[in-house]
Amino acid sequence: MLMISLVSCNQTIEKEVKVEESKESKVVVYQVFTRLFGNTNTTNKPWGTLEENGVGKFNDFTDKALKEIKDLGVTHIWYTGVPHHDVITDYTKYGISNDDPDVVKGRAGSPYAVKDYYNVNPDLAVDVNNRLGEFKALIERSHKAGLKVIIDIVPNHVARNYEGLTNPEGVVDFGANDDKSVTYHVNNNFYYNPDESFKVPVWENNYSPLGDEKHPLEDGEFDEKPAKWTGNGSRLSQPNMNDWYETVKINYGIAPDGTKDFDELPEGFENKDYKEHLQFWKDKEIPDSWHKFKDIALYWLDFGVDGFRFDMAEMVPVEFWSYMNSNIKNKNPEAFLLAEVYNPSLYRDYIKKGKMDYLYDKVQLYDTLKQVMQGHGKTDNIPPIQEDLKDIEHHMLHFLENHDEQRIASPEFAGNAKKGMPAMVVSATISTSPTMIYFGQELGEPAAEDAGFGKPSRTSIFDYIGVPTLQRWVNNKQFDGGQSTIEEKALRDFYKRLLNFTINSTALAGNYQDIHLYNRKHTNNYSDKVLSFVRWNDEEKLIVVANFDDSNSYEFNLKIPQELIKDLSLKDGIYSVKDELYGKYKSNLNIKNSTGTINIKINPLESFILKIY
């Protein structure tokens, strides 16, 4: 007899789940903003200094902390903000030049205005002189805990005051050998406005770089002549304050008129593997910026990093990615390569030609789930997304939070972390793609602080700040949830159960079939606030049902059509239904004339995963 088990995702009882290694299993990425994780200071003064508001360190990721992250159901950890970027903290006694607040966002600085690619943020080290050593030790602790390590590479732009202090032998800084008398040269690293000086943006709406405080270097000026083009592509010598004025755009061999001064990939190369891409570039003239970023990536691979998250990858030509990623894969075929690409028309090029492993599924799945969670979108819009992406679904990383997006619990998003629960079940189980969560998401962090440059609804990436829900879980660095509320513990328990289930489920690396649209047509009381689909392989069969409605329960006879019953190799009969993770739910599945029905009683914001044995 076959047995169906049901996973109820609104329960709150903690249970250890054994993780089994599998070549075919889901990947779960835990994104953590490195300088915020271990900060136990609760002052949270807007625009506060490092001394006032505190900062976390590499060393705060202890063996215990990393074990708890791993046990949450995580396979990879993305340490965000590791490369040395501009900060408004004085490190001159360590030979590091001060950064000018006129071209720095926030007091702690943007992690995407990298100042030195061959070193790490001095804020993160207990001993600044040994900051690379402390990061090396963190990588080793992470590996010991069973976690792969990801860091950022930001290929589109660097800080205006880029300055490499610890370059390996033979490495020359960006722009050091540029011909600044011309706007463009194929081997210049930057674009220039000859005979013009950079001007700080005109501040609007009473903005001041450090709030009310005046800094000695805050004078409305920054010495840059000739002026460089700005990171987001602005060619103005005085960019707008809404431009990425703290950064300068990297030149990849594309002239101002769009002409490409490099070879393009031959037709059909989207179907070739990284080895053939690597071979293609061996005898080609390569722009200098390509070499520089390839060398940076290989340096960090040698250092022990397992992969990268590439910021704004679509602003860099796909040919560069073919060159870059084939070199990375040649050194480490298992390297994890995740790219920020928001234009669906470019997805397949960046995966197939650019040799990316994964792209953000932002403008389709995330945006659609957000609308449903906010109560003004229909689940009917979700199955067509999976149909549209079915040829590349494995490559589309799923998330509900990251450093760019609003926190689910913030009033500006959903106002209640529980509204993320059905969306999380769907996001984590609907495809073979990786799942990503953002630190504090599992605790319902609302990001309510006015941090300074960063404003409520997003945890600030620009300021020294504390993350209250996380600090309660960190519990004076015991990392045991000792100060967490009952609600926070219950939510973390939900994430732990779900994520561990996904990384152990072989069906989630297998087939997918929507049954939502079928039930919308054929099932009474089945709502556009509910979603259902089936996942299976030869070893395991799952039926997922999620209720996004925060106020209404539903009861209906969920139907599984004949063709799918055949694919699942199920026979007519009555089968037991049991709660797989909590052991509380019991019911029956009926299959008659090769059509399956199961009576579903589902509460507001509840989700089920039915497993067939």
Side-chain angles (χ1 to χ4, degrees):
M1 175 181 288
L2 297 173
M3 179 177 290
I4 296 180
S5 302
L6 182 148
V7 177
S8 172
C9 295
N10 70 342
Q11 302 295 320
T12 61
I13 301 171
E14 192 80 30
K15 177 183 175 182
E16 291 295 325
V17 183
K18 183 179 179 182
V19 178
E20 297 178 358
E21 296 298 328
S22 172
K23 291 183 179 179
E24 288 192 353
S25 60
K26 293 274 283 189
V27 166
V28 174
V29 179
Y30 189 80
Q31 182 193 4
V32 57
F33 206 83
T34 313
R35 72 162 171 255
L36 301 182
F37 178 80
N39 181 23
T40 57
N41 186 314
T42 59
T43 303
N44 285 353
K45 174 186 174 182
W47 298 102
T49 65
L50 183 154
E51 292 76 20
E52 290 171 322
N53 283 358
V55 70
K57 305 290 185 180
F58 290 132
N59 290 355
D60 292 328
F61 292 89
T62 63
D63 289 338
K64 175 65 160 65
L66 292 168
K67 179 182 184 300
E68 291 299 324
I69 292 171
K70 174 67 175 176
D71 289 350
L72 190 62
V74 172
T75 61
H76 294 61
I77 186 165
W78 167 17
Y79 291 112
T80 306
V82 166
H84 183 179
H85 58 79
D86 281 356
V87 298
I88 307 300
T89 296
D90 190 336
Y91 289 108
T92 53
K93 67 180 180 180
Y94 300 100
I96 300 170
S97 60
N98 278 327
D99 300 320
D100 189 333
D102 290 304
V103 288
V104 178
K105 289 180 177 176
R107 188 178 290 277
S110 168
Y112 298 105
V114 175
K115 180 179 180 176
D116 183 355
Y117 259 115
Y118 289 99
N119 218 309
V120 297
N121 182 1
D123 281 348
L124 301 175
V126 175
D127 177 0
V128 175
N129 284 324
N130 187 38
R131 56 195 186 278
L132 277 171
E134 290 186 23
F135 182 50
K136 181 76 169 179
L138 173 57
I139 294 173
E140 291 170 354
R141 288 197 303 279
S142 302
H143 288 163
K144 180 182 175 183
L147 295 165
K148 300 285 189 181
V149 172
I150 302 165
I151 65 169
D152 295 278
I153 288 183
V154 189
N156 180 65
H157 49 271
V158 295
R160 296 207 93 94
N161 59 329
Y162 190 92
E163 181 183 22
L165 295 180
T166 55
N167 292 346
E169 185 177 353
V171 172
V172 178
D173 274 358
F174 287 96
N177 294 332
D178 282 6
D179 178 358
K180 301 178 183 179
S181 68
V182 296
T183 299
Y184 165 82
H185 184 279
V186 63
N187 285 319
N188 277 357
N189 299 135
F190 304 129
Y191 299 92
Y192 296 93
N193 292 335
D195 303 320
E196 294 184 19
S197 296
F198 172 80
K199 293 183 179 180
V200 172
V202 175
W203 305 131
E204 303 169 6
N205 303 316
N206 298 314
Y207 172 78
S208 181
L210 296 177
D212 295 332
E213 181 190 331
K214 284 296 178 184
H215 188 277
L217 294 177
E218 184 191 343
D219 55 8
E221 295 183 3
F222 179 76
D223 185 19
E224 179 183 290
K225 187 173 182 178
K228 304 180 183 78
W229 291 10
T230 294
N232 63 320
S234 172
R235 304 182 182 189
L236 300 175
S237 296
Q238 184 175 32
N240 186 276
M241 71 172 292
N242 295 314
D243 290 323
W244 304 347
Y245 60 83
E246 78 280 21
T247 67
V248 290
K249 184 168 180 61
I250 297 291
N251 164 28
Y252 281 89
I254 297 182
D257 65 1
T259 303
K260 294 180 177 180
D261 284 330
F262 49 80
D263 290 87
E264 297 190 61
L265 293 169
E267 186 175 349
F269 246 66
E270 65 273 15
N271 300 317
K272 297 187 181 297
D273 64 17
Y274 76 84
K275 294 179 182 178
E276 292 180 271
H277 281 246
L278 183 72
Q279 191 63 36
F280 173 79
W281 294 111
K282 282 191 179 299
D283 61 351
K284 304 297 187 296
E285 290 290 327
I286 304 295
D288 185 73
S289 296
W290 293 30
H291 288 294
K292 279 186 164 58
F293 270 101
K294 178 261 293 182
D295 290 344
I296 288 165
L298 299 187
Y299 168 85
W300 287 111
L301 289 178
D302 285 337
F303 201 82
V305 165
D306 302 295
F308 306 101
R309 181 267 191 187
F310 297 123
D311 184 80
M312 294 309 296
E314 68 187 83
M315 297 181 76
V316 178
V318 73
E319 292 86 356
F320 162 74
W321 291 116
S322 164
Y323 170 79
M324 171 84 148
N325 290 338
S326 62
N327 273 278
I328 290 173
K329 291 291 188 179
N330 186 56
K331 179 173 278 288
N332 179 7
E334 301 302 315
F336 183 99
L337 305 179
L338 167 64
E340 185 181 25
V341 175
Y342 295 140
N343 184 346
S345 69
L346 297 177
Y347 286 171
R348 287 160 182 83
D349 275 355
Y350 277 75
I351 292 167
K352 296 179 179 181
K353 293 182 180 179
K355 297 303 165 192
M356 294 294 182
D357 292 323
Y358 307 108
L359 310 179
Y360 280 21
D361 195 347
K362 195 268 185 203
V363 300
Q364 290 177 285
L365 186 63
Y366 167 83
D367 284 351
T368 301
L369 285 172
K370 184 173 184 178
Q371 291 176 350
V372 177
M373 293 159 69
Q374 291 176 323
H376 53 77
K378 295 183 177 182
T379 54
D380 299 351
N381 296 322
I382 296 173
I385 294 171
Q386 295 309 114
E387 178 66 22
D388 181 57
L389 297 174
K390 64 182 179 182
D391 61 316
I392 56 169
E393 58 86 23
H394 178 69
H395 301 280
M396 303 305 299
L397 176 132
H398 293 176
F399 63 89
L400 297 183
E401 288 188 359
N402 63 45
H403 66 277
D404 286 320
E405 307 297 343
Q406 295 172 320
R407 292 287 196 174
I408 296 167
S410 70
E412 293 83 355
F413 188 153
N416 179 355
K418 291 182 178 180
K419 291 185 179 180
M421 294 169 69
M424 194 65 220
V425 171
V426 170
S427 180
T429 63
I430 200 169
S431 81
T432 68
S433 67
T435 302
M436 184 172 78
I437 68 167
Y438 191 38
F439 81 123
Q441 177 182 343
E442 72 276 22
L443 298 162
E445 172 58 37
E449 291 69 38
D450 180 357
F453 191 91
K455 299 303 178 187
S457 83
R458 292 174 175 85
T459 295
S460 177
I461 66 172
F462 306 102
D463 307 287
Y464 298 113
I465 201 70
V467 183
T469 59
L470 186 78
Q471 289 174 325
R472 290 192 285 273
W473 177 81
V474 168
N475 188 27
N476 296 317
K477 303 186 182 179
Q478 298 301 304
F479 306 103
D480 61 2
Q483 298 178 42
S484 296
T485 66
I486 293 173
E487 291 78 13
E488 289 164 359
K489 290 178 180 178
L491 188 66
R492 192 176 190 277
D493 174 66
F494 159 76
Y495 275 88
K496 185 173 184 177
R497 292 172 180 276
L498 175 63
L499 296 177
N500 275 287
F501 182 85
T502 66
I503 64 175
N504 283 292
S505 168
T506 60
L508 295 182
N511 302 297
Y512 159 86
Q513 178 64 54
D514 167 64
I515 57 172
H516 170 79
L517 297 178
Y518 181 87
N519 278 275
R520 288 280 282 138
K521 291 180 180 179
H522 300 288
T523 301
N524 293 330
N525 205 37
Y526 184 94
S527 164
D528 62 10
K529 300 295 185 185
V530 175
L531 185 74
S532 58
F533 52 87
V534 178
R535 302 297 314 281
W536 79 97
N537 65 1
D538 290 340
E539 300 174 10
E540 186 180 45
K541 301 170 178 64
L542 306 174
I543 304 167
V544 179
V545 186
N547 180 14
F548 287 80
D549 198 316
D550 66 338
S551 56
N552 293 307
S553 299
Y554 293 94
E555 182 174 0
F556 50 82
N557 288 316
L558 184 73
K559 295 179 175 61
I560 305 173
Q562 286 186 356
E563 184 176 338
L564 184 53
I565 289 292
K566 181 180 179 181
D567 290 340
L568 295 172
S569 300
L570 297 177
K571 305 296 183 183
D572 284 7
I574 300 174
Y575 304 94
S576 298
V577 174
K578 185 180 178 182
D579 180 346
E580 173 76 2
L581 293 185
Y582 296 99
K584 290 186 176 182
Y585 187 92
K586 294 182 179 179
S587 186
N588 292 315
L589 166 71
N590 293 280
I591 300 177
K592 186 176 181 181
N593 298 325
S594 299
T595 298
T597 60
I598 180 169
N599 182 252
I600 299 292
K601 297 179 181 179
I602 193 164
N603 293 321
L605 302 179
E606 190 171 29
S607 300
F608 300 137
I609 304 172
L610 291 72
K611 183 175 179 180
I612 306 174
Y613 285 94

